[in-house]
Amino acid sequence: MYKPKKHGASFFVFFGFYLKFLQRFALIFCLIIKPDRSLEISKRKETQIMKKTVLITGASGGIGGEICRIFAENGFDVIAQYNSGEEEITALKNETQKNFGISFFPVHADLSKSEDVDLLAKKALSFSKNIDVLVNNAGVSLRGIFQLIGEAEAKKLLSVNLESAMNLTRKVLPSMIARKAGKIVNIS
C-alpha cells in the first residue's frame, strides 16, 4: 500500500519561500508592464478625464492582493473578484482607498459556476463600461494521488482555471476591440 511521505518543517519553510517568490514575481511582472500613470483624455470631450479600470480575479489571495495594490498605486479603479477571504478583501479595499484614493469594487463570485462568471462580468461592466485591463488570476489546485481525484474535483479545476478565464475574456473583449485598447493577463 502506498504511504505518502510526511513532510517536516522544512517543507513548510520551503513553501513559505515559494509563496514569497510568487508574490515578488507578480510585483516584478506588473512593474514590467507597469500601467501608464497618465490619464487618458476622452475623445468626446477634451475636458473629461477618464480613469482606467482593472478587473482582477482571485483578488483576496496573496498574488491577487499584490496585483490590486500595484494597479491602485498607479491610479486604476479596481474591480476585485473573490470567492473566499471576505476579511482580506475588505482590508484590501480599505487600504487601497485610504492610501491611493481609488474606487474599489469587490465582487463575490464562485468562478466554478458559469452563472457567477456571467454575473461578475455584468457587475463589472455596470461599474465601468470600459475594462482596460483584465487579470485572470483565480485558480484552484488539486493535491493528492491522481487516481483518487474525483470527477467533481476535476471539473471544478477545469471550470475555475480554464473556462472562467475564457468566458470572462469573451465578455470584456468586445469593448477592448471597439476601443482598440486593453490588456489581458492570464496567470497560471
Side-chain angles (χ1 to χ4, degrees):
M1 180 170 195
Y2 174 78
K3 290 184 181 180
K5 291 183 182 179
K6 292 190 177 186
H7 300 287
S10 62
F11 171 76
F12 294 105
V13 169
F14 171 75
F15 184 75
F17 285 123
Y18 182 70
L19 185 60
K20 200 56 147 172
F21 166 77
L22 288 176
Q23 289 175 338
R24 289 193 176 135
F25 174 77
L27 177 69
I28 292 167
F29 179 74
C30 286
L31 289 175
I32 290 171
I33 60 158
K34 193 170 188 175
D36 185 12
R37 291 191 113 162
S38 64
L39 299 174
E40 292 182 354
I41 304 296
S42 172
K43 293 180 181 176
R44 288 183 230 143
K45 294 182 183 178
E46 293 288 318
T47 59
Q48 181 184 4
I49 297 177
M50 294 174 55
K51 284 189 102 172
K52 291 186 178 184
T53 303
V54 61
L55 169 56
I56 302 168
T57 63
S60 63
I63 295 172
E66 287 300 316
I67 294 170
C68 285
R69 285 180 188 90
I70 290 167
F71 278 101
E73 181 182 1
N74 285 281
F76 279 71
D77 287 337
V78 176
I79 302 168
Q81 177 277 332
Y82 70 99
N83 186 27
S84 59
E86 189 169 353
E87 291 179 10
E88 290 86 353
I89 209 76
T90 302
L92 184 61
K93 176 182 179 177
N94 294 337
E95 174 191 340
T96 55
Q97 286 180 326
K98 177 184 173 192
N99 294 340
F100 309 115
I102 53 100
S103 295
F104 190 100
F105 183 58
V107 180
H108 179 267
D110 182 354
L111 298 182
S112 66
K113 300 175 182 174
S114 61
E115 58 272 6
D116 277 17
V117 175
D118 293 340
L119 187 62
L120 169 61
K122 186 176 181 179
K123 286 182 178 181
L125 291 170
S126 70
F127 175 78
S128 175
K129 293 195 187 304
N130 296 322
I131 306 296
D132 298 290
V133 181
L134 169 62
V135 180
N136 289 308
N137 172 62
V140 295
S141 61
L142 298 177
R143 294 183 180 100
I145 301 171
F146 182 74
Q147 297 91 326
L148 301 179
I149 295 172
E151 189 175 331
E153 293 170 310
K155 185 173 181 169
K156 181 177 181 177
L157 179 102
L158 286 173
S159 295
V160 173
N161 295 354
L162 179 64
E163 292 173 7
S164 69
M166 288 174 43
N167 291 334
L168 198 53
T169 300
R170 282 188 188 126
K171 302 283 185 190
V172 300
L173 193 58
S175 71
M176 290 181 177
I177 291 172
R179 292 180 291 120
K180 297 181 182 175
K183 293 183 172 74
I184 298 171
V185 179
N186 294 310
I187 299 175
S188 62

